[in-house]
Amino acid sequence: MSVTVRFAPSPTGYLHIGNARTALLNWLFARRHGGRFILRLDDTDTERSRPEFADAIVEDLAWLGIVPDLIVRQSERRDIHDAAADRLRGLDRLYPCYETPEELERRRKRQLARHQPPVYDRAARSLTDADRAAFEAEGRQPHWRFLLEDRAVTWDDLCRGAQHYAAGSLSDPVLIRGDGSYLYTLPSVADDADLGVTHVIRGEDHVTNTAVQIEIFEALGATPPVFAHHNLLVAAGGEGLSKRTGALSLRSLRADGYEPMAVASLAVLIGSSESVQPVASLDALAGIVALDKLSRAPATFDPAELVGLNHRLVTDLPYDAVAGRLDEMGIGGGEAFWLAVRPNLDKVSDALDWWRRVEGPVAAPITGEDRAFLETAAGLLPADPWPDDVYASWVGAVKRETGRSGKALFRPLRLALTGVEHGPELKAMLPLIGREKAILRLTGKG
Ligand code: GLU
């Protein structure tokens, strides 16, 4: 059977880098196995789900390079969820309960006081038709619990290895609320079964749902998918990431000028046995990332690491990859400018500052003896058109004429020409600045 994976965010906020980790691990796995990637929007929580967040998810995934083969919305699949619930009812695996939260809490406390595990006691299983009718006459609507089998559930997790859960030690989970709405558990299984999902790759915060979900798959007559629960990504202070806070959202990283491949590389390589490195394409990343290389401990996101990765990636970007963006920023100078400045950039957008320094005007704090030195240097600039090695021949002449060398030679030249003490090689900058502007700057006229 060919591989089918799904990424199933709820559209209740913008995707953050931790969501990107899950999405990418799915996408890269599908890539590696020639499989399909489904985006399932878990939008059954009508109060918190928003269409604009759903659109943003599609857009942010596309920015990362993920284009789903299929997009489905759970809100449009109610029939499938209802059919699954009916099937479970027919098998007597879904039963109505009428306890109020207060009643359940009282019972739980009593169990704890007696040193018993606080597991739902299945009292509702012994209700008669008359009891149920009486509750409903009181206006109570039932919530529905799934009857777990008293057995061990095992699975071979692609991240965590062999897993073993004694489902008998869990409470029968509520699948349908009193108002008739579904909790996440059943629709997720019904959709995975219906869409032929072969691998469920998700964060380890879902590991506790898995034994129950495996039982539901089996009760529905479906083969459970293979599961992989990856370690979570946490912020530097150790706190988890949340869609609701907007922290480290893909949007904000994009607005801050990070390259999608820097974000993608970091999102999947931290917390793994692979070294964190900038990888140029998702295809290349698919060859490196493997679920069994992820570590078990949470992965800590360090913003400084993202800056470093972005810098390394930008330093290697060919002109073709950025020409359109440079153009949009009003940056000229073509390939020569790009090759000159890229080693000095953390972000592509930093190129704008260097372009302004090429275009001028440039204000340089030149004082004292340097004034006369620079006047001399200006007089030694060769006539147009300049040869390719104009910088070397000019600096050679300035050195001979003034007797200066080292810092005393280069610092004032750089400062006068670019306005700052450090930056791209002057050899590459001088031809971009051109003779006319160079003379003005060296003579203190702009
Ligand atoms: N909507 C769920 C979530 O965002 C999906 C979990 C799953 O992948 O099964 O946590």
Side-chain angles (χ1 to χ4, degrees):
M1 199 199 305
S2 73
V3 164
T4 300
V5 298
R6 83 325 187 250
F7 171 55
S10 43
T12 53
Y14 295 121
L15 296 182
H16 54 61
I17 188 159
N19 303 129
R21 182 178 179 82
T22 308
L24 284 161
L25 289 173
N26 276 285
W27 175 258
L28 299 173
F29 187 84
R31 270 294 161 102
R32 211 172 160 128
H33 294 91
R36 290 190 332 139
F37 176 101
I38 298 173
L39 170 63
R40 189 185 83 200
L41 294 162
D42 286 3
D43 57 354
T44 50
D45 180 343
T46 47
E47 273 184 17
R48 289 176 37 219
S49 300
R50 298 266 153 74
E52 57 271 29
F53 287 136
D55 292 345
I57 286 171
V58 174
E59 196 182 296
D60 292 346
L61 289 178
W63 177 71
L64 280 177
I66 296 179
V67 181
D69 297 294
L70 177 69
I71 301 178
V72 299
R73 290 179 171 71
Q74 280 199 317
S75 57
E76 293 169 2
R77 300 173 58 82
R78 175 95 196 189
D79 290 353
I80 287 166
H81 310 151
D82 289 347
D86 286 345
R87 185 154 177 180
L88 295 180
R89 274 191 201 97
L91 294 164
D92 192 28
R93 296 290 299 274
L94 192 60
Y95 61 95
C97 304
Y98 295 86
E99 293 92 346
T100 62
E102 297 73 36
E103 282 164 359
L104 289 172
E105 186 52 26
R106 265 203 302 282
R107 227 179 272 176
R108 218 177 68 87
K109 285 200 176 129
R110 211 180 312 133
Q111 285 169 317
L112 288 174
R114 291 181 189 152
H115 303 289
Q116 291 166 348
V119 171
Y120 178 63
D121 61 8
R122 293 181 172 160
R125 297 283 297 161
S126 18
L127 295 176
T128 62
D129 286 348
D131 295 332
R132 283 192 279 267
F135 279 131
E136 290 185 22
E138 259 177 46
R140 290 204 202 189
Q141 292 301 315
H143 54 274
W144 295 76
R145 286 187 190 263
F146 176 66
L147 182 67
L148 289 171
E149 284 174 346
D150 188 12
R151 63 172 170 114
V153 175
T154 60
W155 76 92
D156 207 2
D157 195 291
L158 294 186
C159 295
R160 301 162 64 90
Q163 301 290 300
H164 184 279
Y165 263 80
S169 66
L170 304 172
S171 291
D172 287 344
V174 176
L175 300 189
I176 306 176
R177 299 185 186 89
D179 66 2
S181 66
Y182 289 100
L183 282 98
Y184 140 84
T185 318
L186 178 63
S188 183
V189 171
D191 287 335
D192 286 342
D194 179 66
L195 295 165
V197 169
T198 58
H199 293 76
V200 168
I201 303 169
R202 59 189 179 187
E204 66 184 5
D205 49 336
H206 283 288
V207 86
T208 48
N209 294 325
T210 305
V212 167
Q213 291 190 326
I214 287 176
E215 278 209 27
I216 299 176
F217 274 108
E218 289 174 352
L220 293 174
T223 310
V226 175
F227 286 91
H229 293 91
H230 64 77
N231 56 347
L232 297 180
L233 221 149
V234 295
E239 68 274 22
L241 303 174
S242 159
K243 269 203 232 87
R244 267 171 281 168
T245 63
L248 294 173
S249 70
L250 294 180
R251 302 236 128 184
S252 63
L253 296 173
R254 176 178 164 190
D256 286 347
Y258 291 106
E259 298 300 306
M261 278 313 301
V263 173
S265 302
L266 188 60
V268 295
L269 293 176
I270 30 175
S272 82
S273 58
E274 282 299 322
S275 61
V276 175
Q277 53 187 301
V279 179
S281 70
L282 290 184
D283 279 341
L285 207 50
I288 297 175
V289 170
L291 295 168
D292 59 4
K293 289 188 196 161
L294 300 177
S295 74
R296 292 291 292 271
T300 307
F301 173 82
D302 174 2
E305 212 165 4
L306 184 58
V307 176
L309 272 187
N310 207 74
H311 167 74
R312 285 165 66 194
L313 201 73
V314 168
T315 303
D316 283 341
L317 283 179
Y319 177 61
D320 285 353
V322 291
R325 283 150 76 190
L326 298 179
D327 206 40
E328 272 170 30
M329 287 187 270
I331 294 176
E335 186 166 18
F337 170 76
W338 176 247
L339 296 182
V341 300
R342 69 178 183 174
N344 291 76
L345 310 178
D346 282 341
K347 297 169 184 174
V348 171
S349 54
D350 297 342
L352 188 56
D353 179 52
W354 292 113
W355 180 243
R356 293 204 175 114
R357 291 182 188 282
V358 166
E359 291 243 277
V362 158
I366 305 290
T367 50
E369 300 175 359
D370 284 344
R371 284 257 66 95
F373 162 73
L374 291 170
E375 291 278 348
T376 308
L380 291 169
L381 272 173
D384 275 329
W386 279 351
D388 285 348
D389 65 345
V390 61
Y391 179 74
S393 55
W394 174 56
V395 167
V398 174
K399 207 168 168 176
R400 278 192 303 277
E401 183 73 23
T402 64
R404 289 202 189 197
S405 63
K407 200 174 166 196
L409 172 71
F410 293 109
R411 186 180 171 276
L413 292 180
R414 174 178 285 285
L415 204 54
L417 288 171
T418 67
V420 280
E421 290 195 28
H422 302 281
E425 285 189 35
L426 273 187
K427 181 171 157 234
M429 292 295 270
L430 182 64
L432 290 161
I433 293 167
R435 187 168 194 277
E436 200 179 319
K437 284 187 211 141
I439 289 179
L440 290 175
R441 293 178 196 182
L442 292 165
T443 55
K445 299 185 190 103

